[in-house]
Amino acid sequence: MRSQPRKQTSVALRRRRRQLLRHLPPLDRLLRGSLIERYKPCGKPGCKCARGPGHGPKYYLSVSYPGLRPRMDYVPQEAHAQTAEFVANYHRAREILEAISEINRELLRRREAL
Ligand SMILES: [Zn+2]
């Protein structure tokens, strides 16, 4: 998705900016963090999990905060797909905002109307 604003005409930049805006995911469908998979042995004697990675996968959402340890929230299996979608939306939204910002920075450099 990386484009090079410096090599494009201002008209092309503004067109690209409109396109980017259209690809922005719905802003109420975002989640910052990453989905983590965990396998845990249950500890029952004789369970086959003792020889494997354990039962799972169980999913957790890990969210980091500046200066703090990451917070982990359990994600039930039935919420996994939607959680994954929201996490992907967050990354996409960030990429799009960054790309729009780079276009605006380039227009500013050119002393063009923003
Ligand atoms: Zn087990």
Side-chain angles (χ1 to χ4, degrees), residues 26-79:
L27 293 182
D28 57 349
R29 300 177 72 79
L30 307 180
L31 248 178
R32 183 174 67 79
S34 37
L35 264 176
I36 287 176
E37 257 182 49
R38 286 276 182 275
Y39 294 80
K40 275 189 188 157
C42 63
K44 283 181 198 146
C47 184
K48 63 177 165 63
C49 76
R51 279 175 285 113
H55 297 277
K58 301 222 180 274
Y59 295 103
Y60 294 84
L61 179 75
S62 169
V63 184
S64 59
Y65 298 94
L68 297 172
R69 296 165 63 92
R71 301 297 160 94
M72 301 273 261
D73 295 304
Y74 176 65
V75 177
Q77 183 61 49
E78 63 270 21

Side-chain angles (χ1 to χ4, degrees), residues 5-112:
R6 303 192 88 151
K7 291 181 179 167
Q8 295 172 45
T9 67
S10 297
V11 170
L13 288 179
R14 291 194 187 87
R15 191 188 312 125
R16 173 97 182 115
R17 192 170 60 177
R18 282 194 301 277
Q19 279 171 2
L20 286 163
L21 210 50
R22 278 199 295 274
H23 289 97
L24 205 55
L27 293 182
D28 57 349
R29 300 177 72 79
L30 307 180
L31 248 178
R32 183 174 67 79
S34 37
L35 264 176
I36 287 176
E37 257 182 49
R38 286 276 182 275
Y39 294 80
K40 275 189 188 157
C42 63
K44 283 181 198 146
C47 184
K48 63 177 165 63
C49 76
R51 279 175 285 113
H55 297 277
K58 301 222 180 274
Y59 295 103
Y60 294 84
L61 179 75
S62 169
V63 184
S64 59
Y65 298 94
L68 297 172
R69 296 165 63 92
R71 301 297 160 94
M72 301 273 261
D73 295 304
Y74 176 65
V75 177
Q77 183 61 49
E78 63 270 21
H80 173 261
Q82 201 172 44
T83 303
E85 181 195 326
F86 276 39
V87 167
N89 282 348
Y90 182 85
H91 289 290
R92 192 146 125 253
R94 281 207 44 172
E95 280 176 15
I96 290 172
L97 294 184
E98 184 61 25
I100 289 174
S101 183
E102 284 300 300
I103 288 171
N104 289 340
R105 190 161 73 95
E106 180 58 23
L107 292 171
L108 181 69
R109 270 203 209 104
R110 295 179 191 179
R111 308 287 184 263
E112 299 238 7

